[in-house]
Amino acid sequence: MAEARKSMIKIKPKKYKTGDIVKVDFIVIHPMDTGLIKDKKTGKIKPAHYIDNITFSFDGKPFTTMKVWETVSTNPYFSVNFKVPGKGKITVDYTDNTGEKNTKSKKLKPKD
């Protein structure tokens, strides 16, 4: 099995309370190849390799799902707003067109 890609979840602002709306940013290292570009070394077309589905969940319940296309930039950045219901865990799951699956999680700790 392939090693998990580097990714990160950031919550902004850093200090928030239950009921506040926060920005959840997700960044992942991924080539996002469209299948339309030639490899400079070999001259052959690079096969398509891009993230196609992302799901943001809170304590296992999805709150945002995205269908992503190959034209998104390399190492993409995704951002959603989320109303903090209390303590819990935000998880981002994504798959790409080759079947690769990865997950990243971050605990929410409101300052009530």
Side-chain angles (χ1 to χ4, degrees):
M1 185 169 160
E3 187 176 321
R5 293 187 179 276
K6 291 185 179 181
S7 58
M8 177 174 52
I9 297 174
K10 285 180 140 183
I11 309 293
K12 296 177 186 174
K14 289 184 179 184
K15 294 181 182 179
Y16 51 88
K17 297 177 184 173
T18 298
D20 286 354
I21 294 176
V22 296
K23 185 176 169 186
V24 180
D25 296 332
F26 176 65
I27 305 155
V28 61
I29 304 300
H30 197 285
M32 299 299 287
D33 290 324
T34 63
L36 302 173
I37 297 175
K38 285 185 179 181
D39 184 300
K40 291 179 183 180
K41 292 180 183 175
T42 66
K44 294 181 180 180
I45 300 289
K46 289 183 181 180
H49 186 197
Y50 56 90
I51 294 171
D52 57 4
N53 287 296
I54 299 176
T55 302
F56 288 76
S57 303
F58 179 75
D59 283 346
K61 296 179 183 176
F63 65 87
T64 299
T65 301
M66 297 179 186
K67 176 72 177 161
V68 183
W69 303 98
E70 57 272 285
T71 56
V72 174
S73 69
T74 300
N75 305 330
Y77 172 97
F78 302 94
S79 186
V80 298
N81 292 325
F82 179 68
K83 187 173 182 177
V84 179
K87 290 183 180 182
K89 183 168 70 171
I90 287 188
T91 302
V92 180
D93 296 294
Y94 68 91
T95 59
D96 71 20
N97 69 313
T98 67
E100 181 181 319
K101 297 178 182 183
N102 281 296
T103 299
K104 187 72 173 182
S105 297
K106 182 164 186 134
K107 289 182 181 177
L108 280 183
K109 301 175 187 173
K111 308 290 184 205
D112 292 331

